[in-house]
Amino acid sequence: MQVECVCVIPARGGSKRIPRKNLKNFLGKPILAYSIETAKASGIFSKIYVSSEDSEILEFTKNQEALPFRRSHDLSGDFVGTREVIVECIQRLNLQEEWVCCLYATAPLLSPKNLQKAFLSRDDSCYLLSAVEYDYSPFRAFSIERGKNKMLFSKHFAKRSQDLEKIYHDAGQFYFARAKTWCHRKNIFEDSKSFLLPRSEVQDIDTLEDWEEAERKYQILRQRAEQKAVAN
């Protein structure tokens, strides 16, 4: 029996640090298009919704043959959490036993293959989220107090970098869970499972510098894929 999974892409129009971020041109097309295309190519979703309060984004969604979902005005502010947006969709669409994937609109580096693999590794009892290893150990972190450095984890000073415990963080690309899990478990990160992604396929996009780095990474990944295709 096929497991039904619904994709919801949150894409509000009021981004501040990068104005109109979700429709900004990313190497030839709006960045939102990449997430819609990835969701389609993965082949795991029965329906793909884009949640937004913005009429231009909703119209673009229809042109991409995805389903526009007009978000409530109360959930369109700067301090609204991802989970609140997903729960609104679940409740208004009357989802019950379905799996629901929150796929971010700014995830152009994510491949359909990794989205498929993540879905296959899901756990019925908890959230599954994309994660990535820190590129430099937080155990080497320090604050600066009165002009001098203060180690936050001084007990690890004598350890070699390779002996420090590996630590991971949210890759900010997708979250899978049952509809009932979204509705009843507020903490997405605690006691959840991770699907690890390589650092080359992860880029947080909050500034124009981040944006440019994401474009560089995308071009490198595309070049590698083309070289692999020629070699095969």
Side-chain angles (χ1 to χ4, degrees), residues 144-156:
I144 300 177
E145 299 181 9
R146 297 179 183 177
K148 292 188 177 181
N149 299 337
K150 181 177 178 59
M151 286 194 71
L152 300 182
F153 306 99
S154 57
K155 65 179 181 179
H156 296 298

Side-chain angles (χ1 to χ4, degrees), residues 5-6 18 36 44-45 93 117-119 128 131 138 156 159 179 184 189 193 208 210 223-224 228-229:
C5 187
V6 172
I18 303 179
I36 295 174
I44 62 179
F45 301 114
L93 296 172
K117 288 181 177 179
F119 185 56
L128 171 76
H156 296 298
K159 292 183 180 178
H184 300 298
F189 304 109
K193 288 186 64 177
L208 290 176
D210 294 337
Q223 184 180 40
R224 288 177 183 171
K228 184 176 180 180

Side-chain angles (χ1 to χ4, degrees), residues 22 29-38 60 64 105:
N22 292 317
K29 57 189 173 186
I31 196 168
L32 171 59
Y34 291 86
S35 291
I36 295 174
E37 290 169 4
T38 296
F60 177 78
Q64 297 295 302

Side-chain angles (χ1 to χ4, degrees), residues 1 30 38 41 63 65 74 78 85-86 89-91 103 108 129 165 179 182 194 199 223:
M1 181 177 178
T38 296
N63 294 336
E65 298 181 347
D74 292 345
D78 294 339
V85 172
I86 302 303
C89 291
I90 290 171
Q91 292 176 341
L103 175 62
L129 59 101
E165 179 185 358
W182 280 106
S194 292
R199 286 195 290 268
Q223 184 180 40

Side-chain angles (χ1 to χ4, degrees), residues 4-5 33 51 84 119 124-125 136 150 171 181 183 210-211:
E4 184 172 0
C5 187
S51 168
E84 295 168 81
F119 185 56
D124 197 68
S125 66
Y136 192 80
K150 181 177 178 59
T181 301
C183 291
D210 294 337
W211 189 281

Side-chain angles (χ1 to χ4, degrees), residues 66-194:
L67 298 168
F69 181 95
R70 185 167 290 279
R71 187 186 305 185
S72 300
H73 178 74
D74 292 345
L75 296 179
S76 301
D78 294 339
F79 301 102
V80 175
T82 295
R83 178 180 166 273
E84 295 168 81
V85 172
I86 302 303
V87 169
E88 179 194 38
C89 291
I90 290 171
Q91 292 176 341
R92 284 173 51 188
L93 296 172
N94 195 31
L95 302 179
Q96 302 288 334
E97 297 300 321
E98 296 89 344
W99 281 84
V100 179
C101 173
C102 168
L103 175 62
Y104 278 146
T106 52
L109 305 180
L110 178 64
S111 69
K113 185 176 181 180
N114 276 334
L115 200 56
Q116 291 171 344
K117 288 181 177 179
F119 185 56
L120 291 174
S121 67
R122 67 194 184 278
D123 187 318
D124 197 68
S125 66
C126 65
Y127 290 97
L128 171 76
L129 59 101
S130 59
V132 64
E133 183 183 349
Y134 274 98
D135 56 358
Y136 192 80
S137 177
F139 288 126
R140 288 285 188 258
F142 56 86
S143 60
I144 300 177
E145 299 181 9
R146 297 179 183 177
K148 292 188 177 181
N149 299 337
K150 181 177 178 59
M151 286 194 71
L152 300 182
F153 306 99
S154 57
K155 65 179 181 179
H156 296 298
F157 169 72
K159 292 183 180 178
R160 300 182 304 169
S161 295
Q162 58 266 41
D163 294 331
L164 293 171
E165 179 185 358
K166 290 184 178 181
I167 297 182
Y168 307 87
H169 63 86
D170 177 17
Q173 298 199 25
F174 60 81
Y175 313 92
F176 282 99
R178 287 276 192 184
K180 59 186 178 183
T181 301
W182 280 106
C183 291
H184 300 298
R185 291 189 61 174
K186 293 183 179 181
N187 193 327
I188 292 176
F189 304 109
E190 191 69 25
D191 292 324
S192 58
K193 288 186 64 177
S194 292

